[in-house]
Amino acid sequence: MPHNYNRQLQHRAGRGENTRIDAMYQVVPGNLPAAREKQSKEAKPLICSVLLGVLLIIAAVVAWCYYSASLKKVNCFKIDDLELYEDGFIIKKTDGPDLFEMGFKSAPINLESCFKDETGVWINCTNADKEVDFFIETLKPKDSITCFNIKWRTVVLDSAVEHCMYWADGYWYGGAETSSQHWPIKLSGVVDPKPYVTGDVHSLREGFGGIMERYWISNKSVAIRVNDSVPLHIGWNSSNREAFCLHARYKDSPFKLPTGQQPFVHLSYQVCAGSDMKSIHRYMAKKHFKKPEVTPSESMFMYPLWSTWALYKTKVNQDKVLHYAEKIKKYQFNCSHIEIDDRYSSSYGEFDFDPVKFPNALEMLQKLSKDGFQVTLWVHPFVNYNSPSFVKGIESSYFVMDTSGRLPGLVEWWNGIAAVLDFTNPETKDWFQKKLEHLRSKYGIVSFKFDAGETTYLPVEFSTQKPLSDPSIYSKLYAEVASSHCKLGEVRVGYRTQMLPCFVRMIDRDSVWGYELGLKSVIPTALTMSILGYPFILPDMIGGNVYPNKTDGFDEIPDRELYIRWLELSAFLPAMQFSIPPWQYDAEVLKIASKFTQLRERVVGPLIFRLAEEATKTGNPIIRPLWWVSPENKDAHKVDTQFLIGDDFMVAPILEKGKQARDIFLPKGKWQSFNGDIFDNTLVILVDYAVSLDEVAYFTRMI
């Protein structure tokens, strides 16, 4: 209204209507202040409405933010670098990518049930039915390392727990010896969870081997170790984001409940993340693996050992052993010792020489000793039913029994039907040790090759004097029995026995080139054993065991080129073992064998023995992966045909038939090759580097 009024005045003034305007002007001024007051009063409610509206909007925004925060809290709990969801958890690098992902396959948890302690170092949750007790605790053992202890416990009888790691975005190492060994681990197909126990992977190729630990490490500097008390089964699915599953159960399992414990299953493990692979591995190894107490005999590092097995099999006898020793001397090879293998005794379970095959055993051993040969014998934990010791074993309760505890649990092994010695029984151990001591004192035997010992050779259902909740403890007990004979001895099982001063032998190799128990499997197996804490690695026999239908070449001896390349590789591993001798071939093979045994005695052996002594103090492996010195280099993470001896000596053998050149990953630094080439301060991949049939590419770091 005021705006219209002013416009009317201006319009009339423009037309000269002054008198009328003045008259009108005289009337209006007396009423104008009242009109303005009225207008102000009318505006106040509008202003209040606007203010109230703004306040309501602010309140709505605040409420929405609070609601969103509440939703986030329900959907995810965070503790340090771990994000917990109802179906699993993720460990992230601070302001960086995901390092580790674990999925809960058994059941989701109810995040609304979760609560933190006041210090924020642990979370406790359950599931919707309150059938699960789930616990996470965070630890900070070092500034650069964060660990999470995880425990999932069911309160339902005979249930199972399964958590699956997702490996698609990284490389993983460790676990167990397998028949097809790869570095890093290669998952193939879909495998239902199976018992994670020691086994003979030469006979049962789909299982796990005799050397195993519950430990894995990834190239993202994350490691996991499953607790000893878990009834662990392992399965995987290579087509589903490479899921590697930890499964715990007692039902339909060789794992047995500890005495007095209800059948409630738990799955507990520790996950640790660090700044680099080497540092996180060293932390985990120091915490979970005991260092070797002493080293084996220096001669086993310096000189090859010579076994009768692949050459003579069970047809070994006195004349053949003496002939073998004469040939070793004739061709001027050094010798740590001669190992007399299978079937020197009259039956399996007896601890003496068969008088028919070895009519003058004592005289034979005295001659060998006079000629400078030390001798070891093959032994095992079996007593065949036709052995005279079988009756003694039953009468004295020396054997693993059936579940009734009244009858021995018989098993089939590669040499017949037998009972198995029960090493939970102190009297059994005492009897066994006395038999070994008899061989030592009567014949001058210096040590033994302890064969078998895996859970493969326990009855399906069995009982022992001291119950075994984890059947792999049998392997541990067997290795401990062997430990008093380890200076020149060997075992082929390793389970929580890193502290023993024994060489641990790889399972029998076939005389083939490939990854399935062939030449290409040797380096991945050695690296796996190293990362599991077993530094004293005994590769199997040069050229493999020449088993029928598992041999490239003739059935009598391995393929010539395969034999040479195997010999060359073995010269750089912690021990070197012949059985098929080089004189079975030709003069060139003899020359190559002489060259590499001399190189071992002069250069490699002293280096390895020094590192073996260091391992008793540091726990560091002798044979090391390339990522040990190049942890940030992705190419180093997947190299499975090269290895380091310590930090400053790198080996790159030829492992392909018909090849005399290969690509070589050379870590950063100044390196000199075996033929004098120098590569200075650069990380490089050498393409088609020439390596002739009588050569191995090896490089020494120049300080």
Side-chain angles (χ1 to χ4, degrees), residues 57-328:
I57 292 170
I58 293 171
V61 171
V62 171
W64 176 255
C65 292
Y66 180 81
Y67 178 69
S68 299
S70 298
L71 284 179
K72 186 176 180 181
K73 181 178 179 183
V74 172
N75 288 334
C76 173
F77 256 97
K78 188 170 174 56
I79 178 169
D80 283 324
D81 296 328
L82 184 146
E83 294 179 358
L84 175 65
Y85 300 88
E86 65 175 12
D87 59 352
F89 64 86
I90 295 173
I91 298 175
K92 292 177 172 286
K93 196 169 187 176
T94 305
D95 300 323
D98 296 352
L99 299 177
F100 179 84
E101 182 178 358
M102 181 75 84
F104 304 149
K105 293 301 179 182
S106 311
I109 59 171
N110 179 11
L111 290 179
E112 292 183 355
S113 72
C114 299
F115 61 90
K116 290 184 182 180
D117 76 324
E118 294 179 355
T119 61
V121 298
W122 57 263
I123 296 176
N124 197 200
C125 310
T126 186
N127 67 348
D129 299 323
K130 297 185 178 180
E131 297 173 343
V132 167
D133 184 24
F134 178 70
F135 181 83
I136 298 178
E137 179 187 25
T138 182
L139 305 169
K140 195 81 174 174
K142 294 184 177 182
D143 290 341
S144 60
I145 295 175
T146 303
C147 295
F148 301 92
N149 291 331
I150 313 293
K151 185 170 184 179
W152 181 295
R153 181 177 179 273
T154 67
V155 291
V156 178
L157 298 178
D158 294 326
S159 58
V161 181
E162 185 169 302
H163 292 182
C164 293
M165 299 182 274
Y166 296 106
W167 285 8
D169 296 328
Y171 299 126
W172 285 82
Y173 318 87
E177 180 184 29
T178 57
S179 60
S180 293
Q181 199 87 49
H182 294 275
W183 181 272
I185 296 170
K186 182 182 291 185
L187 302 181
S188 178
V190 178
V191 175
D192 292 332
K194 53 189 176 183
Y196 194 63
V197 294
T198 60
D200 177 353
V201 290
H202 191 272
S203 299
L204 302 173
R205 302 207 171 192
E206 300 304 315
F208 303 105
I211 304 157
M212 66 158 45
E213 296 297 331
R214 301 172 167 213
Y215 171 70
W216 296 265
I217 181 173
S218 87
N219 67 326
K220 293 188 176 183
S221 306
V222 176
I224 181 170
R225 204 257 179 190
V226 180
N227 290 357
D228 296 332
S229 57
V230 174
L232 183 62
H233 301 65
I234 296 292
W236 57 83
N237 185 339
S238 63
S239 62
N240 182 20
R241 299 173 59 201
E242 293 203 353
F244 184 84
C245 299
L246 312 175
H247 180 101
R249 73 170 189 267
Y250 288 111
K251 188 176 181 180
D252 301 323
S253 168
F255 291 92
K256 304 302 178 186
L257 279 164
T259 304
Q261 180 178 310
Q262 290 184 305
F264 298 137
V265 175
H266 77 281
L267 176 59
S268 53
Y269 49 89
Q270 183 177 68
V271 182
C272 293
S275 57
D276 63 79
M277 298 172 72
K278 180 179 176 181
S279 64
I280 193 64
H281 171 70
R282 292 182 70 177
Y283 168 77
M284 295 293 279
K286 183 177 181 180
K287 181 174 182 181
H288 297 291
F289 304 152
K290 294 181 179 178
K291 298 187 293 290
E293 295 166 352
V294 295
T295 66
S297 171
E298 183 178 2
S299 67
M300 282 196 72
F301 297 97
M302 300 294 293
Y303 315 123
L305 66 94
W306 300 76
S307 171
T308 64
W309 171 247
L311 181 61
Y312 299 124
K313 300 293 193 300
T314 58
K315 296 178 181 179
V316 66
N317 60 34
Q318 181 171 309
D319 289 341
K320 289 177 178 177
V321 171
L322 291 171
H323 179 72
Y324 197 41
E326 288 170 4
K327 289 283 190 176
I328 295 170

Side-chain angles (χ1 to χ4, degrees), residues 306 321 325 335-341 353 364-369 372-378 439-440 443-448 488:
W306 300 76
V321 171
C335 176
S336 168
H337 58 274
I338 292 176
E339 184 260 325
I340 301 176
D341 211 282
F353 286 92
M364 174 192 75
L365 287 155
Q366 288 173 340
K367 175 174 174 46
L368 290 171
S369 177
F373 293 102
Q374 301 182 95
V375 177
T376 66
L377 289 180
W378 175 78
L439 290 167
R440 295 182 70 163
Y443 297 107
I445 300 299
V446 296
S447 194
F448 303 92
L488 286 167

Side-chain angles (χ1 to χ4, degrees), residues 575-629:
M576 189 176 187
Q577 180 176 197
F578 282 105
S579 184
I580 300 296
W583 55 81
Q584 292 285 93
Y585 293 91
D586 52 45
E588 184 185 15
V589 175
L590 268 168
K591 184 178 179 181
I592 293 170
S594 178
K595 171 184 174 179
F596 280 96
T597 54
Q598 289 177 35
L599 176 68
R600 181 178 186 87
E601 183 178 349
R602 187 178 72 255
V603 177
V604 181
L607 171 61
I608 290 178
F609 184 63
R610 176 174 62 79
L611 291 167
E613 291 182 313
E614 287 180 10
T616 65
K617 302 176 180 67
T618 65
N620 288 338
I622 297 171
I623 302 301
R624 302 172 186 178
L626 295 194
W627 55 251
W628 193 268
V629 296

Side-chain angles (χ1 to χ4, degrees), residues 265 344 420 451 539 593:
V265 175
Y344 63 86
V420 186
D451 212 352

